[in-house]
Amino acid sequence: MRCAVFTATPRGTKTALRVRASLDASVDIFVKAGQEMPAEVRVYERLAPQVEVAFYQYDALIFIMATGIAVRMIAGSLKSKLEDPAVLVLDEEAQHVISLLSGHIGGANELTRDLAASLGADPVITTATDVQKKLAVDVAAARLALRPSPKEQIKRFNSAVLDDAAIRYVIDENLARASFYKKRLDDMGLAAVFGRGLPPDKEGLTAFVTADEGVQREDVICLVPRRLVAGIGCRRGTEMSEIRAALEAALTKIGRSIADVSLLASTEAKADEAGLLALSAKLKRDIRFHSNEKMQETIDAYGLSESPFVKKNIGIGNVAEAAALASVPAGRLALAKTRFEKVTVALVWEK
């Protein structure tokens, strides 16, 4: 997850540094110009245009300022609960952490809990299912990187959860990694069953874990696996076995396995890299090699950091993250670029 933290005062900046130290994520701090600047922060003159750009670049925005300011800053950028980033607000003393937007699918509620626990703050979460300590359907989906479809059904199903109505979780037995989804749902206390198809109509509400999002029934919400893209950079001549070992280590960090990877990606400078081509063939996964122009567009669009050394050698300063994000219309970092001995890996969920 990539987080942007915005602060306007010296006291808020001190809290922003605590936030960065507390999160196991990639965190950029944006500080208003005209004050003493700690190391590795970004400076802004006007908050509104900076937030407008960051809204589409980051997975979470954290404001250390008044809630009203945060609301005004994001109002013009809102799209939908399936696309908007998580938005949190903290006071300057970090007494309270407020989940403001995208509490479920965007992950704001879980981020609020984690951050509050690290800072010794009070988490402020107002979504009804969380207040009543009930597991919403879209929360279960988010934890498994599943996309609810159609999104209009989310409200109906979560209302049913609040009313203690029974919801069946059915997993298409032909779905790749079906057993993984069953175990994870069972671990959440959501008893799931395998099925060759949907149960008949009028047997209550069904959350159907399937690759087919074309099901249109009032009693069904489809939970569709999102694609996981692995962006890979490596030194020239790196063996396939070493690239695979790095990829598997990276996947372990997010609780996934190599079977979850939908696509590999890298720079066109590696289009003849034997180890990458062999890994693609071994895994039976396509690999996309992106041009420098496409990669630079992605770097600029997402505000990705660049390595001067890498840029000097191949013309762009970010390979793993840029390649993965360039492979999907919109993506969310599951794992920021992670360096191994000869390999760098980044993992991206398609939004």
Side-chain angles (χ1 to χ4, degrees), residues 2 28-32 40-44 58 303-305:
R2 297 181 70 229
D28 291 327
I29 297 175
F30 293 83
V31 177
K32 184 173 177 59
E40 298 182 1
V41 300
R42 304 188 183 193
V43 181
Y44 69 87
Y58 290 86
L304 302 177
S305 63

Side-chain angles (χ1 to χ4, degrees), residues 12-69:
T13 300
K14 290 181 180 179
T15 298
L17 294 173
R18 292 178 60 199
V19 168
R20 182 164 65 185
S22 299
L23 292 178
D24 183 18
S26 172
V27 179
D28 291 327
I29 297 175
F30 293 83
V31 177
K32 184 173 177 59
Q35 58 180 292
E36 184 178 347
M37 298 297 165
E40 298 182 1
V41 300
R42 304 188 183 193
V43 181
Y44 69 87
E45 295 286 344
R46 294 179 57 241
L47 182 59
Q50 187 66 71
V51 171
E52 185 178 3
V53 172
F55 197 87
Y56 302 101
Q57 292 181 337
Y58 290 86
D59 305 313
L61 308 185
I62 302 173
F63 293 88
I64 304 177
M65 57 190 64
T67 304
I69 296 174

